[in-house]
Amino acid sequence: MARDYYGILGVERGADASEIKRAYRKLARELHPDVNPDPGAQERFREVSAAYEVLTDPEKRRVVDLGGDPLDARGGGGGGGDPFAGFGGFSDIMDAFFGGTAAGGRGRGPRSRVQPGADALIRMELTLEECAAGVQRDLAVDTAVLCTRCQGSGCAEGTHPTACDTCGGSGEIQSVQRSFLGQVVTARPCPTCRGFGEVIPDPCRQCAGDGRVRSRRTVSVKIPAGVAEGMRVRLSGQGEVGSGGGPAGDLYVEVEEAPHELFTRDGADLHCTLPLPMTAAALGTTLPLPLLDGTIAEIDVEPGTQHGTVRTLRGKGMPRLRSTGRIDGHGDLLVHVEVVVPTRLDKEQTDLLRKLAELRGEAQPDLIGGSRNGHGLFSKLRDSWTGR
């Protein structure tokens, strides 16, 4: 009966090469005889090694997928013999234990001197009027820019980088160590060239070989209508230039919304408080209210308006800015009425209010009311408790 090589490694039949290799590395670290003294570990390790050999060979894996066993012809391979056969030396084993390079292996090579630049962030304070209407401004930005003298190469005029003598241009220094599995070659970035594989013998005097310098420049930014506190506007390619003249990152302009003396904001809606004398609340009036766009809204106060009344002006709030950058209508303006009671009255005003109170039968307010008409405040509370 054909062995289940997928099951031995614990992978699905559709597993790709990277999944198979990860599974093998994990099991090899657990089962290798030099690590695991369990008597059954060596036999299990041979099975895992054989399964890895089969599933990493396209022809042998095809036989497995057709229901056969490619190791049958070897007299039950996988149960004996060299468990490392077919693995190209110790490279896969070394990867399993150290994630490094076996003897004779190759490193990653030099890294590029040209690196992408970082993003930059600046903050811009806007008034509520500017957030509502949008604004375009010129900003002073201090970032790294391309060196105009060497154009990003980092070399003085007429010179060029040369191969590093320490690493021979590979960008790496290798060292050999012995382990229970043989020689292990490890690599680290060359300290002379910092992994670039080349050095600049005559650096540019302006940028000291970095290929970029810091400079203050002016950038124009357009803030759309409807922005709010914390929103960011992205300017592509206006951030920091990378080392070696690499491509610039992006510049983000973050909005800071200044407090407004009249309005407070809740998303696209605006709120304001309208102080109203008690006489105006009783008699009714019309009050002008300046809006963000410079126009005047007439607020009609009906006679008998109570404290806490809210008047809603539809569509008089902030623009609704969508993620696409389009405006989808406007929010509302909610006017909260605050009835103001006078705290200082002269004699004439006091006499008039007392006369009004007598005319309305309010000179002595009936809070209890139960003894006469049952309509006082405490009568209502009593009714609510008794369920009347």
Coordinates of all heavy atoms in Angstrom, one line a residue, residues 216-282:
R216 N 14.3 73.7 2.8 CA 12.9 74.2 3.0 C 12.3 74.6 1.6 O 13.0 75.3 0.9 CB 12.9 75.4 4.0 CG 11.5 76.0 4.1 CD 11.4 76.9 5.4 NE 11.4 76.0 6.5 CZ 11.2 76.4 7.8 NH1 10.9 77.7 8.0 NH2 11.2 75.6 8.8
R217 N 11.2 74.2 1.3 CA 10.5 74.5 0.1 C 9.0 74.8 0.3 O 8.5 74.5 1.4 CB 10.7 73.3 -0.9 CG 10.1 72.0 -0.4 CD 10.7 70.8 -1.2 NE 10.3 69.6 -0.5 CZ 9.3 68.8 -0.8 NH1 8.4 69.2 -1.8 NH2 9.0 67.7 -0.2
T218 N 8.4 75.3 -0.7 CA 7.0 75.7 -0.6 C 6.2 74.7 -1.4 O 6.5 74.4 -2.6 CB 6.8 77.1 -1.2 OG1 7.5 78.0 -0.4 CG2 5.3 77.5 -1.1
V219 N 5.1 74.2 -0.8 CA 4.2 73.2 -1.5 C 2.8 73.8 -1.4 O 2.4 74.2 -0.3 CB 4.3 71.8 -0.8 CG1 3.3 70.9 -1.4 CG2 5.7 71.3 -0.9
S220 N 2.1 73.7 -2.5 CA 0.7 74.2 -2.5 C -0.2 73.0 -2.3 O 0.0 71.9 -2.8 CB 0.4 74.8 -3.9 OG -0.9 75.2 -4.0
V221 N -1.1 73.2 -1.3 CA -2.1 72.1 -1.0 C -3.5 72.6 -1.1 O -3.8 73.8 -0.6 CB -1.8 71.6 0.4 CG1 -1.8 72.7 1.5 CG2 -2.7 70.5 0.8
K222 N -4.4 71.8 -1.6 CA -5.8 72.2 -1.7 C -6.6 71.3 -0.8 O -6.6 70.1 -0.9 CB -6.3 71.9 -3.2 CG -7.7 72.4 -3.4 CD -8.1 72.2 -4.8 CE -9.6 72.7 -5.1 NZ -10.0 72.5 -6.5
I223 N -7.2 71.9 0.2 CA -8.0 71.2 1.2 C -9.5 71.3 0.7 O -10.1 72.3 0.5 CB -7.9 71.9 2.6 CG1 -6.5 72.0 3.0 CG2 -8.7 71.1 3.6 CD1 -5.8 70.7 3.2
P224 N -10.1 70.1 0.5 CA -11.5 70.1 0.0 C -12.5 70.6 1.1 O -12.2 70.5 2.3 CB -11.7 68.6 -0.3 CG -10.8 67.9 0.6 CD -9.6 68.7 0.7
A225 N -13.7 71.0 0.6 CA -14.7 71.4 1.6 C -15.2 70.2 2.3 O -15.3 69.1 1.8 CB -15.9 72.0 0.8
G226 N -15.5 70.4 3.6 CA -16.1 69.3 4.4 C -15.1 68.5 5.3 O -15.5 67.6 5.9
V227 N -13.8 68.9 5.2 CA -12.8 68.2 6.0 C -13.1 68.4 7.5 O -13.8 69.4 7.9 CB -11.4 68.7 5.7 CG1 -11.0 68.3 4.3 CG2 -11.2 70.2 5.9
A228 N -12.6 67.5 8.3 CA -12.8 67.6 9.8 C -11.5 67.4 10.5 O -10.5 67.0 9.9 CB -13.9 66.6 10.2
E229 N -11.5 67.5 11.8 CA -10.4 67.3 12.7 C -9.8 65.9 12.5 O -10.5 64.9 12.5 CB -10.8 67.5 14.1 CG -9.7 67.2 15.2 CD -8.7 68.3 15.3 OE1 -9.1 69.5 15.0 OE2 -7.6 68.1 15.8
G230 N -8.5 65.9 12.2 CA -7.8 64.6 12.1 C -7.7 64.1 10.7 O -7.0 63.1 10.4
M231 N -8.5 64.6 9.7 CA -8.5 64.1 8.4 C -7.1 64.5 7.7 O -6.5 65.5 8.1 CB -9.6 64.7 7.5 CG -11.0 64.1 7.8 SD -12.2 64.7 6.6 CE -13.6 63.7 7.2
R232 N -6.7 63.7 6.8 CA -5.4 63.9 6.1 C -5.6 64.0 4.6 O -6.3 63.3 4.0 CB -4.4 62.8 6.5 CG -4.0 62.8 7.9 CD -2.9 61.7 8.2 NE -2.5 61.7 9.6 CZ -1.6 60.9 10.0 NH1 -1.0 59.9 9.2 NH2 -1.2 60.9 11.3
V233 N -4.8 65.0 4.0 CA -4.8 65.1 2.6 C -3.4 64.6 2.1 O -2.4 65.1 2.7 CB -5.0 66.6 2.2 CG1 -4.8 66.7 0.7 CG2 -6.4 67.1 2.6
R234 N -3.4 63.7 1.2 CA -2.1 63.1 0.7 C -1.6 63.8 -0.5 O -2.3 64.0 -1.5 CB -2.3 61.6 0.5 CG -1.2 60.9 -0.2 CD -1.5 59.4 -0.2 NE -0.5 58.7 -1.0 CZ -0.7 58.4 -2.3 NH1 -1.8 58.7 -2.9 NH2 0.3 57.7 -2.9
L235 N -0.3 64.2 -0.5 CA 0.4 64.7 -1.6 C 1.4 63.7 -2.1 O 2.5 63.6 -1.4 CB 1.0 66.1 -1.3 CG 0.1 67.2 -0.8 CD1 0.8 68.5 -0.5 CD2 -1.0 67.5 -1.8
S236 N 1.2 63.0 -3.1 CA 2.0 62.0 -3.6 C 3.4 62.5 -4.0 O 3.5 63.5 -4.8 CB 1.4 61.2 -4.7 OG 2.2 60.2 -5.2
G237 N 4.5 61.8 -3.5 CA 5.8 62.2 -4.0 C 6.4 63.5 -3.4 O 7.4 64.0 -3.9
Q238 N 5.7 64.0 -2.4 CA 6.2 65.3 -1.8 C 6.8 65.1 -0.4 O 7.0 66.1 0.2 CB 5.0 66.3 -1.7 CG 4.4 66.7 -3.1 CD 5.4 67.5 -3.9 OE1 6.2 68.2 -3.3 NE2 5.2 67.5 -5.2
G239 N 7.1 63.9 -0.1 CA 7.7 63.6 1.2 C 9.2 63.6 1.1 O 9.8 64.4 0.3
E240 N 9.9 62.8 2.0 CA 11.3 62.7 2.1 C 11.9 62.0 0.9 O 11.4 60.9 0.5 CB 11.7 62.0 3.3 CG 11.2 62.6 4.6 CD 12.1 63.8 5.1 OE1 13.2 64.0 4.5 OE2 11.7 64.4 6.1
V241 N 12.9 62.5 0.2 CA 13.7 61.8 -0.8 C 14.5 60.7 -0.1 O 15.1 61.0 0.9 CB 14.5 62.8 -1.6 CG1 15.5 62.0 -2.5 CG2 13.7 63.7 -2.5
G242 N 14.6 59.5 -0.8 CA 15.3 58.5 -0.2 C 16.8 58.6 -0.3 O 17.3 59.4 -1.2
S243 N 17.6 57.9 0.5 CA 19.0 57.9 0.3 C 19.5 57.4 -1.0 O 18.8 56.6 -1.6 CB 19.7 57.1 1.4 OG 19.3 55.7 1.4
G244 N 20.6 57.9 -1.5 CA 21.0 57.5 -2.8 C 20.2 58.1 -4.0 O 20.2 57.6 -5.1
G245 N 19.4 59.1 -3.6 CA 18.5 59.7 -4.6 C 17.2 58.8 -4.9 O 16.7 58.9 -6.0
G246 N 16.8 58.0 -3.9 CA 15.7 57.1 -4.1 C 14.4 57.9 -4.2 O 14.3 59.1 -3.9
P247 N 13.3 57.3 -4.7 CA 12.0 58.0 -4.8 C 11.5 58.6 -3.5 O 11.7 58.0 -2.5 CB 11.1 56.9 -5.4 CG 11.7 55.6 -5.0 CD 13.2 55.9 -5.0
A248 N 10.9 59.7 -3.6 CA 10.4 60.4 -2.4 C 9.1 59.7 -1.9 O 8.3 59.1 -2.7 CB 10.1 61.9 -2.7
G249 N 8.9 59.8 -0.6 CA 7.7 59.3 0.0 C 6.6 60.3 -0.2 O 6.7 61.3 -1.0
D250 N 5.5 60.2 0.5 CA 4.3 61.1 0.4 C 4.3 62.1 1.5 O 4.9 61.8 2.6 CB 3.0 60.3 0.4 CG 3.0 59.3 -0.8 OD1 3.6 59.6 -1.9 OD2 2.3 58.3 -0.7
L251 N 3.6 63.2 1.3 CA 3.5 64.2 2.3 C 2.0 64.2 2.7 O 1.1 64.3 1.8 CB 3.8 65.6 1.7 CG 3.5 66.8 2.7 CD1 4.4 66.7 3.9 CD2 3.8 68.1 1.9
Y252 N 1.7 64.1 4.0 CA 0.4 64.1 4.5 C 0.1 65.4 5.3 O 0.9 65.8 6.2 CB 0.1 62.9 5.4 CG 0.1 61.6 4.7 CD1 1.2 60.9 4.5 CD2 -1.1 61.1 4.2 CE1 1.2 59.7 3.8 CE2 -1.2 59.9 3.5 CZ 0.0 59.2 3.3 OH 0.0 58.0 2.6
V253 N -1.0 66.1 4.9 CA -1.3 67.3 5.6 C -2.5 67.0 6.5 O -3.6 66.6 6.0 CB -1.7 68.4 4.6 CG1 -2.1 69.7 5.4 CG2 -0.5 68.7 3.7
E254 N -2.4 67.1 7.8 CA -3.4 66.7 8.8 C -4.1 68.0 9.3 O -3.5 68.9 9.6 CB -2.8 66.0 10.0 CG -3.9 65.5 11.0 CD -3.3 64.6 12.0 OE1 -3.0 63.4 11.8 OE2 -3.1 65.1 13.1
V255 N -5.5 67.9 9.2 CA -6.3 69.1 9.6 C -6.5 69.2 11.1 O -6.8 68.2 11.8 CB -7.7 69.0 8.9 CG1 -8.6 70.1 9.4 CG2 -7.5 69.0 7.4
E256 N -6.3 70.4 11.6 CA -6.6 70.7 13.0 C -7.7 71.8 12.9 O -7.4 72.9 12.4 CB -5.4 71.2 13.8 CG -4.4 70.1 14.0 CD -3.2 70.6 14.9 OE1 -3.1 71.8 15.0 OE2 -2.4 69.8 15.4
E257 N -8.8 71.5 13.5 CA -10.0 72.4 13.4 C -10.0 73.4 14.6 O -10.1 72.9 15.8 CB -11.3 71.6 13.3 CG -12.5 72.5 13.0 CD -13.7 71.6 12.9 OE1 -13.8 70.9 11.8 OE2 -14.6 71.6 13.8
A258 N -9.9 74.7 14.4 CA -9.9 75.6 15.5 C -11.4 75.8 16.1 O -12.3 75.7 15.3 CB -9.4 77.0 15.0
P259 N -11.5 76.0 17.4 CA -12.8 76.2 18.0 C -13.5 77.4 17.4 O -12.9 78.4 17.1 CB -12.5 76.3 19.5 CG -11.2 75.8 19.7 CD -10.4 76.0 18.4
H260 N -14.9 77.3 17.3 CA -15.7 78.4 16.8 C -16.4 79.1 17.9 O -16.9 78.4 18.8 CB -16.6 77.9 15.7 CG -17.2 79.0 14.8 ND1 -18.4 79.7 15.2 CD2 -16.8 79.5 13.7 CE1 -18.7 80.6 14.3 NE2 -17.7 80.5 13.3
E261 N -16.6 80.4 17.8 CA -17.2 81.1 18.9 C -18.7 80.9 19.0 O -19.3 81.1 20.1 CB -16.9 82.6 18.8 CG -17.5 83.2 17.5 CD -17.2 84.7 17.4 OE1 -16.6 85.3 18.3 OE2 -17.5 85.3 16.4
L262 N -19.3 80.5 17.9 CA -20.8 80.3 17.9 C -21.2 78.9 17.7 O -22.2 78.4 18.3 CB -21.4 81.2 16.8 CG -22.9 81.2 16.6 CD1 -23.6 81.6 17.9 CD2 -23.3 82.0 15.4
F263 N -20.5 78.1 16.8 CA -21.0 76.8 16.4 C -20.1 75.7 17.0 O -18.9 75.9 17.1 CB -21.0 76.6 14.9 CG -22.0 77.6 14.2 CD1 -21.5 78.7 13.5 CD2 -23.3 77.5 14.3 CE1 -22.3 79.5 12.8 CE2 -24.2 78.3 13.7 CZ -23.7 79.4 13.0
T264 N -20.7 74.6 17.3 CA -19.9 73.3 17.6 C -20.3 72.3 16.6 O -21.5 72.4 16.0 CB -20.2 72.8 19.0 OG1 -21.6 72.6 19.2 CG2 -19.8 73.8 20.1
R265 N -19.4 71.4 16.3 CA -19.6 70.5 15.2 C -19.8 69.0 15.7 O -19.2 68.6 16.6 CB -18.4 70.5 14.3 CG -18.5 69.7 13.0 CD -17.3 69.9 12.1 NE -17.5 69.1 10.9 CZ -16.6 69.1 9.9 NH1 -15.5 70.0 10.0 NH2 -16.7 68.4 8.8
D266 N -20.8 68.3 15.0 CA -21.0 66.9 15.3 C -21.1 66.2 13.9 O -22.2 66.1 13.3 CB -22.3 66.7 16.1 CG -22.5 65.2 16.4 OD1 -21.6 64.4 16.2 OD2 -23.7 64.9 16.8
G267 N -20.0 65.8 13.4 CA -20.0 65.3 12.0 C -20.3 66.4 11.0 O -19.6 67.4 10.9
A268 N -21.4 66.2 10.2 CA -21.8 67.2 9.3 C -22.8 68.1 9.9 O -23.2 69.1 9.2 CB -22.4 66.5 8.0
D269 N -23.3 67.9 11.1 CA -24.3 68.8 11.7 C -23.6 69.8 12.6 O -22.5 69.6 13.1 CB -25.2 68.0 12.6 CG -26.1 67.0 11.8 OD1 -26.4 67.3 10.6 OD2 -26.5 66.0 12.4
L270 N -24.2 71.0 12.7 CA -23.7 72.1 13.5 C -24.8 72.3 14.6 O -26.0 72.2 14.4 CB -23.5 73.3 12.7 CG -22.4 73.3 11.6 CD1 -22.4 74.6 10.8 CD2 -21.0 73.1 12.3
H271 N -24.2 72.8 15.8 CA -25.1 73.1 16.9 C -24.7 74.5 17.4 O -23.6 74.9 17.3 CB -24.9 72.1 18.0 CG -25.4 70.7 17.7 ND1 -26.6 70.2 18.1 CD2 -24.7 69.7 17.0 CE1 -26.7 68.9 17.7 NE2 -25.5 68.6 17.0
C272 N -25.7 75.3 17.8 CA -25.5 76.6 18.4 C -26.6 76.8 19.4 O -27.7 76.3 19.4 CB -25.4 77.7 17.4 SG -27.0 78.2 16.7
T273 N -26.2 77.6 20.4 CA -27.1 78.0 21.5 C -27.6 79.4 21.3 O -26.8 80.3 21.1 CB -26.4 77.8 22.9 OG1 -26.0 76.5 23.1 CG2 -27.4 78.2 24.0
L274 N -28.9 79.6 21.3 CA -29.5 80.9 21.1 C -30.1 81.5 22.4 O -31.2 81.0 22.9 CB -30.7 80.8 20.1 CG -31.4 82.1 19.7 CD1 -30.4 83.1 19.0 CD2 -32.5 81.8 18.8
P275 N -29.4 82.4 23.1 CA -29.9 83.0 24.3 C -31.1 83.8 24.0 O -31.1 84.7 23.1 CB -28.7 83.8 24.9 CG -27.5 83.4 24.1 CD -28.0 82.9 22.8
L276 N -32.2 83.6 24.7 CA -33.5 84.3 24.4 C -34.1 84.9 25.7 O -34.3 84.2 26.7 CB -34.5 83.3 23.8 CG -35.7 83.9 23.1 CD1 -35.4 84.7 21.9 CD2 -36.6 82.7 22.7
P277 N -34.3 86.2 25.8 CA -35.0 86.8 26.9 C -36.3 86.2 27.2 O -37.0 85.8 26.2 CB -35.1 88.3 26.6 CG -34.0 88.5 25.5 CD -34.0 87.2 24.8
M278 N -36.7 86.1 28.4 CA -38.0 85.4 28.7 C -39.2 86.1 28.1 O -40.2 85.5 27.7 CB -38.2 85.2 30.2 CG -38.4 86.5 31.0 SD -38.8 86.2 32.7 CE -39.3 87.9 33.3
T279 N -39.0 87.5 28.0 CA -40.1 88.2 27.3 C -40.3 87.9 25.9 O -41.4 87.7 25.3 CB -39.9 89.7 27.5 OG1 -38.6 90.0 27.1 CG2 -40.0 90.1 29.0
A280 N -39.1 87.7 25.2 CA -39.1 87.3 23.8 C -39.7 85.9 23.6 O -40.4 85.6 22.7 CB -37.7 87.5 23.2
A281 N -39.3 85.0 24.6 CA -39.8 83.7 24.5 C -41.3 83.6 24.7 O -42.0 82.8 24.1 CB -39.1 82.8 25.5
A282 N -41.8 84.5 25.5 CA -43.3 84.5 25.8 C -44.0 85.2 24.7 O -45.1 84.8 24.3 CB -43.5 85.3 27.1

